Amino acid sequence: MSGATLDARVGVDRGRYTLEAEVHADAGEIVAVMGPSGTGKSTLFGALAGFIPLDDGFVHLDGVTMDAASGPHVAPRDRGIVLLGQEPRLFPHLTARENIAFGPRSRGTARATARADAEVWLERVGLGGLGGRRPSELSGGQQQRVALARALATSPRVLLLDEPLTSLDPETAGGIRALLTEQLNETETTALVATHDAADAASLASRLVILEDGRVTQTGTVREVLDAPATPFITIIAGTLPKDDRSSLLARVVQVDEGEGSVAALARTADGAEVVLQLPIGTAIAPGATITIR
């Protein structure tokens, strides 16, 4: 599967503010969207997905109009754009397997095929053997993994991730973050990720869009934006990351194992490279931490 090229100019009047934002993502590209709370990130994603009508602008996928203020308006279910938010929103009466199989089945895939594919997805997200459990029998992190598998099982043209890690504890969020990076890159899915965490942007995305007061104030590669912030908000965000230079790399810790004489920390950079660090016993490090490797 592979994603579509997204081009959009979204104009939405929300009363207390007006969203006027342009976004672009190449096929298979992951773009992070950051901004203060209430600045329009969720409105942008809702408009792209088709749940919020446009007052101005357009949404194009591979050059085809999905939405425009003057028409046409392709229904959300027919766009191939999937929105995954903070809450998994799984069907409580269905098992994890049936939740994942639901999308393909609704598109005409035979039940046996959809269920078999769902088992493959459960393995891919680290939940092999748990397909028969209902959401109430899964932890929050496991539910979010099922939700991600359900989204990717439909082969979305664009996946919108609206702060999917916010409600998770740091260790669980670190595991989901690593899973997102792996699965989005492997499936070549075009994705927009809304986040408050600069480390998420650095580890997940190749480009960064800053949204403030309903306007795009800066865009570029993640490093370009964070190294040369154009507004006070971006300066604050950039300050939450360790300083980088030509001889160092930012990496996200994805696994920590304590042995007899040392602590082994597996870290992954934004481009997917992995390194195992051997650290002294007692080193305070946990999955989800951002580190600088020199």
Side-chain angles (χ1 to χ4, degrees):
M1 75 183 74
S2 60
T5 296
L6 168 70
D7 277 298
R9 179 169 59 82
V10 174
V12 177
D13 184 359
R14 301 295 278 177
R16 62 186 184 278
Y17 70 88
T18 298
L19 173 67
E20 294 181 357
E22 293 188 20
V23 292
H24 172 85
D26 290 326
E29 185 179 23
I30 304 173
V31 178
V33 180
M34 298 187 71
S37 296
T39 199
K41 299 186 297 297
S42 294
T43 298
L44 171 63
F45 280 26
L48 293 174
F51 299 119
I52 297 176
L54 296 178
D55 294 311
D56 187 26
F58 56 83
V59 177
H60 294 167
L61 290 186
D62 287 337
V64 178
T65 301
M66 295 291 108
D67 204 353
S70 57
H73 175 81
V74 176
R77 64 168 293 170
D78 298 324
R79 295 189 183 198
I81 298 178
V82 174
L83 175 60
L84 176 60
Q86 297 178 21
E87 301 299 327
R89 299 190 184 281
L90 302 176
F91 299 116
H93 62 291
L94 298 181
T95 64
R97 181 187 305 108
E98 292 296 342
N99 265 282
I100 297 170
F102 180 85
R105 286 190 63 195
S106 68
R107 289 167 170 76
T109 301
R111 179 176 182 178
T113 301
R115 287 170 62 90
D117 289 344
E119 290 291 351
V120 174
W121 275 108
L122 285 165
E123 291 288 344
R124 291 180 70 167
V125 299
L127 296 178
L130 301 183
R133 296 189 183 183
R134 287 184 167 79
S136 60
E137 300 173 297
L138 300 172
S139 69
Q142 289 172 331
Q143 289 183 40
Q144 198 70 323
R145 287 171 181 259
V146 174
L148 176 62
R150 182 175 65 176
L152 291 174
T154 63
S155 301
R157 303 177 72 188
V158 176
L159 179 59
L160 306 175
L161 298 160
D162 191 2
E163 302 193 31
L165 309 179
T166 298
S167 61
L168 303 175
D169 64 82
E171 183 173 354
T172 302
I176 300 294
R177 187 181 295 108
L179 176 65
L180 278 171
T181 301
E182 176 185 354
Q183 294 301 324
L184 291 176
N185 288 329
E186 186 172 327
T187 58
E188 298 182 344
T189 300
T190 306
L192 269 62
V193 185
T195 178
H196 282 292
D197 191 337
D200 285 347
S203 62
L204 287 170
S206 58
R207 285 197 306 113
L208 177 58
V209 174
I210 303 295
L211 195 62
E212 300 180 72
D213 296 323
R215 307 289 193 278
V216 174
T217 55
Q218 193 171 359
T219 185
T221 68
V222 176
R223 292 310 335 167
E224 287 172 348
V225 173
L226 297 181
D227 286 346
T231 71
F233 169 78
I234 308 170
T235 300
I236 293 171
I237 291 297
T240 65
L241 286 178
K243 293 297 181 183
D244 200 1
D245 59 34
R246 294 182 182 179
S247 62
S248 65
L249 290 172
L250 290 176
R252 171 71 67 168
V253 177
V254 296
Q255 183 176 328
V256 177
D257 296 306
E258 186 170 329
E260 291 185 4
S262 65
V263 173
L266 173 63
R268 183 178 292 120
T269 64
D271 61 4
E274 294 185 346
V275 62
V276 176
L277 307 176
Q278 297 296 333
L279 306 170
I281 287 290
T283 300
I285 189 169
T290 299
I291 61 174
T292 301
I293 304 172
R294 297 188 183 279

